[in-house]
Amino acid sequence: MALIGLVRVSTDKQKTQRQHDALDPICLKVFEEKISGKLATDDRPVLLEALSYIRHGDMLTVQEVDRLGRNLLEGLIVLNDLFQRGIAVKVLEGIAAGEHTERSLILDLALALSEDRRRDIVRKTKNGLEAARRRGRVGGRPPVVDDDKRAAILARRGRGESIRTIAAGVGVSVGVVHKTLTDAKES
């Protein structure tokens, strides 16, 4: 029996060291992905690679259940598949800590709670952004198109240049040119 680890964070900016510190010393191999846990299993290539690597009798090891994902249905599908293949799941921390060879209420509950936490994070982020907007603060990146670039984009389009040519000439992306043109039509 080999322990096979799965490390997951949602974005490239998040750190995985804490999970590696827990899994590297005990696992034969550790797979790492930086992708949202809300995605379907088919949209998570590293998870798919780990699932195809792991063999009957092995144990998929995660620091916490939410590293499997933050989508209850997808998590249950993964667990059912593993258990049917004779693969156990080891959870190091949280309410479902322990070794599991079949589904249990506590494991299902831990997955449900992780999905609920994701919804809560999304809701709080949205509320925070709305509150900041009401105070006059606008988040996000500063606009790349100033008045001069906007005028150049509109003038070049007026002369019949393609969006790609305009983007290359002004030094912005095709998407920025398209958005600028669309905004100008709506004004």
Side-chain angles (χ1 to χ4, degrees):
M1 173 189 74
L3 296 180
I4 307 301
L6 177 66
V7 168
R8 184 192 65 77
V9 291
S10 297
T11 69
D12 286 332
K13 292 177 183 164
Q14 292 174 307
K15 307 288 185 222
T16 59
Q17 192 59 52
R18 181 178 69 94
Q19 293 177 62
H20 277 289
D21 288 347
L23 297 177
D24 288 349
I26 62 172
C27 293
L28 174 68
K29 183 171 177 74
V30 176
F31 292 86
E32 177 182 312
E33 65 180 352
K34 293 188 174 189
I35 196 165
S36 175
K38 72 179 180 181
L39 297 176
T41 304
D42 290 341
D43 296 329
R44 294 175 57 191
V46 175
L47 175 60
L48 291 174
E49 182 183 353
L51 294 176
S52 67
Y53 178 86
I54 199 164
R55 300 288 175 246
H56 179 82
D58 288 348
M59 189 175 294
L60 180 65
T61 307
V62 291
Q63 187 169 24
E64 297 166 332
V65 170
D66 62 356
R67 301 303 88 199
L68 285 173
R70 289 188 182 260
N71 178 323
L72 175 60
L73 179 60
E74 291 294 325
L76 293 174
I77 290 169
V78 168
L79 288 176
N80 281 335
D81 176 60
L82 290 170
F83 295 148
Q84 286 175 1
R85 292 172 46 201
I87 299 166
V89 174
K90 181 174 185 145
V91 180
L92 301 180
E93 297 176 11
I95 64 169
E99 295 179 3
H100 305 273
T101 57
E102 61 185 17
R103 281 195 40 212
S104 66
L105 176 62
I106 198 73
L107 199 53
D108 292 0
L109 180 61
L111 281 170
L113 287 172
S114 71
E115 181 177 307
D116 190 57
R117 270 184 258 147
R118 181 182 60 81
R119 270 196 306 267
D120 195 40
I121 290 167
V122 169
R123 182 183 52 79
K124 286 179 179 179
T125 301
K126 182 180 174 190
N127 289 347
L129 290 171
E130 288 172 359
R133 276 190 220 99
R134 284 193 299 272
R135 290 190 310 270
R137 298 185 60 175
V138 179
R141 295 172 47 183
V144 286
V145 176
D146 57 19
D147 290 339
D148 292 338
K149 283 185 180 179
R150 184 177 187 280
I153 289 170
L154 295 176
R156 285 173 167 240
R157 188 59 171 183
R159 291 192 302 263
E161 290 185 25
S162 74
I163 290 177
R164 289 194 187 283
T165 304
I166 296 169
V170 178
V172 295
S173 71
V174 169
V176 168
V177 173
H178 189 272
K179 183 177 180 343
T180 303
L181 295 172
T182 301
D183 290 349
K185 286 179 186 174
E186 292 173 359
S187 299

